[in-house]
Amino acid sequence: MKIWKRVQSVYSNWLGRDSEAMKALEPQPANGDGHLALARESLRELLDDQRVPPPVRAALAEEYRQLQVLLEKIEHGHIHIAVFGRVSVGKSALLNALLGETRFSTSPLHGETTRATHARWQEYDAGGVFLIDTPGINEVSGETREQLAHDVASRSDLVMFVVDGDITDTELKALRQVKGAAQRLVLVLNKIDRYTQADRKLLLETLRRRSAGLIQPQDILTVAAQPAERIVILVDAEGNETETRRRPPADVTALRERIWDILKAEGKTMAALNAGLFAGRFSDRLTREIVVIRRGLADKVVRKYCLAKGVAVALNPIPVADILAAVATDAAMIVHLGRVYGLPINRVEAGALLKTIFTQLAFLMGTVWVMNLVAAALKGISLGLSTVVTAGAQGAVAWYGTYVVGRAAEQYFAQGKSWGEGGPKRVVQDILDSLDRESLLAQARDDILARLKPLL
């Protein structure tokens, strides 16, 4: 149930959805069909939401494609079961043994499986179960294939983690990673035919101990997917002996029955929860992309107003008028930033927010504002003749002031029109501490003078 709350929380935070709309995603009494209905609704809303900016959809095109595939999987009632493990532990052979036919390639060479492949498991009653083979997780120079294996595991409803002996530290680390991505896991000890009865017992005890907290004891099973060939002595009717090699039949009965029990009891719920987990990860990525885009747009807005204010203040020879213009520019910038973050405010609200920021600025960087006022007074005394001399300095100060105001306002909107626990003073102080004042003022002077050259 927690996954639905997580999806709701992430999704509602950036979309600003009202509480009534979110009630539609509240879990209903536990049943597989109900869970699947909720999963379908969640996926459709993510796919169809027209409020997602086009640049975000373009950046997440592959994720949206996977979301569509997942929705179609749920609508058709399909279940995906993937194998996961090191190279040559017998993953492909295990799938073939479950299918009762050779559908996946097996080879004595390491890394035979280089991409995810799947086959339909017709034996299961539902007929909509697909077995998925994946590359080995420890393939040399196989980072791409390893990532593919993790991706497949994260989109599968059940994962069979296969080992062929005591679990290594690398496998244990991978098991934890898969546990974080997959909803349901079983641990399979393959090649059991190689061990004596005593060794089997010891191995199972070790696996149970090392996987405690990750795998339930009843979900640790032994198989012999492709038993080693044995020498068999055949005796004909005349008593002649002939030595031959034969491979015993695969032994996967316990695993098959356990999988069927899991699918019967949890199949639909597993599919729904897996969809919920994927939707949650997708929402997280969606949120990050939107934040990045909004920050980029906000930075352009702030710098645009910084330059406009810097130039206006530098050129205006009237001491009071340039200060009034500066206030108007900052207020307009705040209104613009509100629209960028999807939290529009009117000019009265912008003025109140600006007053709050100015109050903190006056307290924390009063000397900068004194510089601004002194330069403005110098303009008045010289009747505007000193504008060329003071334009760069005063304009840079105005540029810098608007930049700080813009960053503070952006932080306010990014937190959902909130200053957070520290209040506006902490926000403004943190911004001032993070800025390199000298480099920003130098950049501001360069930008302003470059714009003023044709006019001076």
Short mmCIF file of all heavy atoms in Angstrom, two decimals, residues 228-258:
data_model
loop_
_atom_site.label_atom_id
_atom_site.label_comp_id
_atom_site.label_asym_id
_atom_site.label_seq_id
_atom_site.Cartn_x
_atom_site.Cartn_y
_atom_site.Cartn_z
N ALA A 228 24.61 -32.62 -15.15
CA ALA A 228 25.79 -33.09 -15.89
C ALA A 228 25.57 -34.51 -16.41
O ALA A 228 24.84 -35.30 -15.81
CB ALA A 228 27.01 -33.04 -14.96
N GLU A 229 26.18 -34.78 -17.54
CA GLU A 229 26.06 -36.12 -18.12
C GLU A 229 26.71 -37.15 -17.20
O GLU A 229 27.70 -36.86 -16.52
CB GLU A 229 26.71 -36.16 -19.50
CG GLU A 229 25.97 -35.36 -20.54
CD GLU A 229 26.64 -35.50 -21.91
OE1 GLU A 229 27.83 -35.88 -21.95
OE2 GLU A 229 25.97 -35.22 -22.92
N ARG A 230 26.14 -38.37 -17.24
CA ARG A 230 26.68 -39.45 -16.43
C ARG A 230 27.02 -40.64 -17.32
O ARG A 230 26.41 -40.85 -18.37
CB ARG A 230 25.67 -39.88 -15.37
CG ARG A 230 25.33 -38.78 -14.37
CD ARG A 230 24.27 -39.26 -13.40
NE ARG A 230 23.89 -38.21 -12.45
CZ ARG A 230 22.93 -38.35 -11.54
NH1 ARG A 230 22.25 -39.51 -11.48
NH2 ARG A 230 22.66 -37.36 -10.72
N ILE A 231 28.00 -41.38 -16.87
CA ILE A 231 28.35 -42.60 -17.61
C ILE A 231 27.39 -43.71 -17.22
O ILE A 231 27.17 -43.99 -16.03
CB ILE A 231 29.80 -43.02 -17.30
CG1 ILE A 231 30.77 -41.93 -17.78
CG2 ILE A 231 30.11 -44.37 -17.97
CD1 ILE A 231 32.21 -42.24 -17.43
N VAL A 232 26.76 -44.30 -18.23
CA VAL A 232 25.79 -45.37 -18.00
C VAL A 232 26.28 -46.65 -18.70
O VAL A 232 26.71 -46.60 -19.86
CB VAL A 232 24.40 -44.98 -18.55
CG1 VAL A 232 23.41 -46.12 -18.35
CG2 VAL A 232 23.91 -43.70 -17.86
N ILE A 233 26.22 -47.74 -17.99
CA ILE A 233 26.64 -49.04 -18.56
C ILE A 233 25.38 -49.78 -19.01
O ILE A 233 24.49 -50.09 -18.19
CB ILE A 233 27.41 -49.90 -17.54
CG1 ILE A 233 28.61 -49.12 -16.98
CG2 ILE A 233 27.86 -51.21 -18.18
CD1 ILE A 233 29.64 -48.75 -18.02
N LEU A 234 25.29 -50.05 -20.30
CA LEU A 234 24.15 -50.77 -20.85
C LEU A 234 24.56 -52.24 -21.07
O LEU A 234 25.66 -52.52 -21.56
CB LEU A 234 23.72 -50.15 -22.17
CG LEU A 234 23.28 -48.68 -22.12
CD1 LEU A 234 22.92 -48.19 -23.51
CD2 LEU A 234 22.10 -48.50 -21.16
N VAL A 235 23.67 -53.13 -20.71
CA VAL A 235 23.94 -54.57 -20.87
C VAL A 235 22.88 -55.14 -21.80
O VAL A 235 21.67 -55.02 -21.54
CB VAL A 235 23.90 -55.31 -19.51
CG1 VAL A 235 24.21 -56.79 -19.72
CG2 VAL A 235 24.88 -54.67 -18.53
N ASP A 236 23.33 -55.72 -22.92
CA ASP A 236 22.36 -56.27 -23.87
C ASP A 236 21.94 -57.67 -23.45
O ASP A 236 22.36 -58.19 -22.41
CB ASP A 236 22.94 -56.27 -25.29
CG ASP A 236 24.19 -57.10 -25.44
OD1 ASP A 236 24.43 -57.98 -24.56
OD2 ASP A 236 24.95 -56.88 -26.40
N ALA A 237 21.13 -58.30 -24.28
CA ALA A 237 20.56 -59.61 -23.95
C ALA A 237 21.64 -60.68 -23.81
O ALA A 237 21.45 -61.69 -23.11
CB ALA A 237 19.55 -60.02 -25.01
N GLU A 238 22.75 -60.46 -24.48
CA GLU A 238 23.83 -61.45 -24.43
C GLU A 238 24.84 -61.15 -23.33
O GLU A 238 25.85 -61.83 -23.20
CB GLU A 238 24.54 -61.51 -25.79
CG GLU A 238 23.61 -61.95 -26.92
CD GLU A 238 24.32 -61.95 -28.26
OE1 GLU A 238 25.50 -61.53 -28.29
OE2 GLU A 238 23.69 -62.35 -29.25
N GLY A 239 24.56 -60.13 -22.56
CA GLY A 239 25.46 -59.81 -21.44
C GLY A 239 26.60 -58.91 -21.80
O GLY A 239 27.51 -58.70 -20.98
N ASN A 240 26.60 -58.37 -23.02
CA ASN A 240 27.67 -57.46 -23.43
C ASN A 240 27.43 -56.07 -22.84
O ASN A 240 26.30 -55.56 -22.87
CB ASN A 240 27.73 -57.38 -24.95
CG ASN A 240 28.05 -58.72 -25.57
OD1 ASN A 240 28.93 -59.44 -25.08
ND2 ASN A 240 27.35 -59.08 -26.64
N GLU A 241 28.47 -55.46 -22.31
CA GLU A 241 28.36 -54.14 -21.70
C GLU A 241 28.81 -53.06 -22.68
O GLU A 241 29.82 -53.22 -23.37
CB GLU A 241 29.21 -54.07 -20.42
CG GLU A 241 28.73 -55.01 -19.32
CD GLU A 241 29.55 -54.86 -18.05
OE1 GLU A 241 30.59 -54.14 -18.10
OE2 GLU A 241 29.18 -55.45 -17.03
N THR A 242 28.04 -51.99 -22.70
CA THR A 242 28.38 -50.84 -23.53
C THR A 242 28.34 -49.58 -22.66
O THR A 242 27.35 -49.32 -21.97
CB THR A 242 27.40 -50.67 -24.70
OG1 THR A 242 27.39 -51.88 -25.46
CG2 THR A 242 27.81 -49.50 -25.59
N GLU A 243 29.42 -48.83 -22.71
CA GLU A 243 29.49 -47.60 -21.92
C GLU A 243 28.98 -46.42 -22.75
O GLU A 243 29.42 -46.24 -23.88
CB GLU A 243 30.93 -47.35 -21.48
CG GLU A 243 31.08 -46.16 -20.55
CD GLU A 243 32.51 -45.97 -20.09
OE1 GLU A 243 32.98 -46.77 -19.25
OE2 GLU A 243 33.16 -45.02 -20.59
N THR A 244 28.08 -45.65 -22.20
CA THR A 244 27.55 -44.47 -22.90
C THR A 244 27.34 -43.34 -21.90
O THR A 244 27.39 -43.56 -20.68
CB THR A 244 26.22 -44.79 -23.59
OG1 THR A 244 25.81 -43.65 -24.36
CG2 THR A 244 25.11 -45.10 -22.58
N ARG A 245 27.12 -42.16 -22.42
CA ARG A 245 26.92 -40.98 -21.57
C ARG A 245 25.49 -40.48 -21.76
O ARG A 245 25.04 -40.30 -22.89
CB ARG A 245 27.91 -39.86 -21.89
CG ARG A 245 29.37 -40.31 -21.73
CD ARG A 245 30.31 -39.17 -22.07
NE ARG A 245 30.26 -38.10 -21.08
CZ ARG A 245 30.99 -38.08 -19.96
NH1 ARG A 245 31.82 -39.07 -19.69
NH2 ARG A 245 30.89 -37.09 -19.12
N ARG A 246 24.80 -40.26 -20.67
CA ARG A 246 23.43 -39.76 -20.73
C ARG A 246 23.24 -38.62 -19.73
O ARG A 246 23.86 -38.60 -18.66
CB ARG A 246 22.43 -40.87 -20.42
CG ARG A 246 22.35 -41.93 -21.51
CD ARG A 246 21.24 -42.92 -21.21
NE ARG A 246 21.11 -43.90 -22.27
CZ ARG A 246 20.23 -44.89 -22.26
NH1 ARG A 246 19.42 -45.04 -21.20
NH2 ARG A 246 20.17 -45.75 -23.26
N ARG A 247 22.36 -37.71 -20.10
CA ARG A 247 22.07 -36.58 -19.23
C ARG A 247 20.74 -36.84 -18.52
O ARG A 247 19.71 -37.05 -19.17
CB ARG A 247 21.97 -35.28 -20.02
CG ARG A 247 21.86 -34.03 -19.14
CD ARG A 247 21.69 -32.77 -20.01
NE ARG A 247 22.78 -32.60 -20.93
CZ ARG A 247 23.95 -32.04 -20.63
NH1 ARG A 247 24.18 -31.63 -19.38
NH2 ARG A 247 24.89 -31.90 -21.53
N PRO A 248 20.75 -36.84 -17.20
CA PRO A 248 19.49 -37.07 -16.47
C PRO A 248 18.50 -35.94 -16.77
O PRO A 248 18.88 -34.84 -17.17
CB PRO A 248 19.93 -37.03 -15.00
CG PRO A 248 21.40 -37.29 -15.02
CD PRO A 248 21.89 -36.69 -16.31
N PRO A 249 17.21 -36.18 -16.58
CA PRO A 249 16.23 -35.13 -16.82
C PRO A 249 16.37 -33.99 -15.82
O PRO A 249 16.86 -34.17 -14.70
CB PRO A 249 14.88 -35.86 -16.64
CG PRO A 249 15.20 -37.02 -15.77
CD PRO A 249 16.59 -37.44 -16.14
N ALA A 250 15.95 -32.82 -16.24
CA ALA A 250 16.02 -31.64 -15.37
C ALA A 250 15.11 -31.83 -14.15
O ALA A 250 14.07 -32.49 -14.24
CB ALA A 250 15.62 -30.39 -16.14
N ASP A 251 15.51 -31.26 -13.05
CA ASP A 251 14.72 -31.31 -11.83
C ASP A 251 14.38 -29.88 -11.40
O ASP A 251 15.18 -29.20 -10.76
CB ASP A 251 15.49 -32.03 -10.72
CG ASP A 251 14.69 -32.11 -9.42
OD1 ASP A 251 13.48 -31.77 -9.44
OD2 ASP A 251 15.28 -32.50 -8.39
N VAL A 252 13.19 -29.41 -11.80
CA VAL A 252 12.75 -28.06 -11.45
C VAL A 252 11.34 -28.08 -10.85
O VAL A 252 10.67 -27.06 -10.80
CB VAL A 252 12.77 -27.13 -12.69
CG1 VAL A 252 14.19 -26.90 -13.19
CG2 VAL A 252 11.88 -27.69 -13.81
N THR A 253 10.93 -29.26 -10.42
CA THR A 253 9.55 -29.42 -9.95
C THR A 253 9.22 -28.50 -8.77
O THR A 253 8.18 -27.84 -8.75
CB THR A 253 9.29 -30.88 -9.54
OG1 THR A 253 9.56 -31.74 -10.66
CG2 THR A 253 7.87 -31.07 -9.09
N ALA A 254 10.10 -28.46 -7.77
CA ALA A 254 9.83 -27.64 -6.57
C ALA A 254 9.72 -26.16 -6.94
O ALA A 254 8.83 -25.44 -6.44
CB ALA A 254 10.93 -27.85 -5.54
N LEU A 255 10.59 -25.71 -7.83
CA LEU A 255 10.55 -24.30 -8.24
C LEU A 255 9.27 -24.01 -9.02
O LEU A 255 8.61 -22.99 -8.79
CB LEU A 255 11.78 -23.98 -9.10
CG LEU A 255 11.81 -22.57 -9.71
CD1 LEU A 255 11.83 -21.50 -8.63
CD2 LEU A 255 13.00 -22.42 -10.65
N ARG A 256 8.93 -24.91 -9.95
CA ARG A 256 7.72 -24.71 -10.74
C ARG A 256 6.48 -24.60 -9.84
O ARG A 256 5.66 -23.69 -10.00
CB ARG A 256 7.53 -25.86 -11.73
CG ARG A 256 6.28 -25.71 -12.60
CD ARG A 256 5.99 -26.95 -13.41
NE ARG A 256 6.96 -27.13 -14.47
CZ ARG A 256 7.85 -28.12 -14.52
NH1 ARG A 256 7.90 -29.00 -13.52
NH2 ARG A 256 8.67 -28.22 -15.53
N GLU A 257 6.38 -25.49 -8.90
CA GLU A 257 5.21 -25.49 -8.01
C GLU A 257 5.18 -24.23 -7.14
O GLU A 257 4.11 -23.68 -6.88
CB GLU A 257 5.21 -26.75 -7.15
CG GLU A 257 4.94 -28.01 -7.96
CD GLU A 257 4.98 -29.27 -7.09
OE1 GLU A 257 5.36 -29.15 -5.89
OE2 GLU A 257 4.65 -30.36 -7.61
N ARG A 258 6.37 -23.78 -6.69
CA ARG A 258 6.42 -22.57 -5.86
C ARG A 258 5.99 -21.35 -6.67
O ARG A 258 5.24 -20.50 -6.18
CB ARG A 258 7.82 -22.37 -5.30
CG ARG A 258 7.96 -21.13 -4.41
CD ARG A 258 6.99 -21.17 -3.26
NE ARG A 258 7.02 -19.94 -2.46
CZ ARG A 258 6.01 -19.51 -1.72
NH1 ARG A 258 4.87 -20.21 -1.66
NH2 ARG A 258 6.11 -18.41 -1.02
#
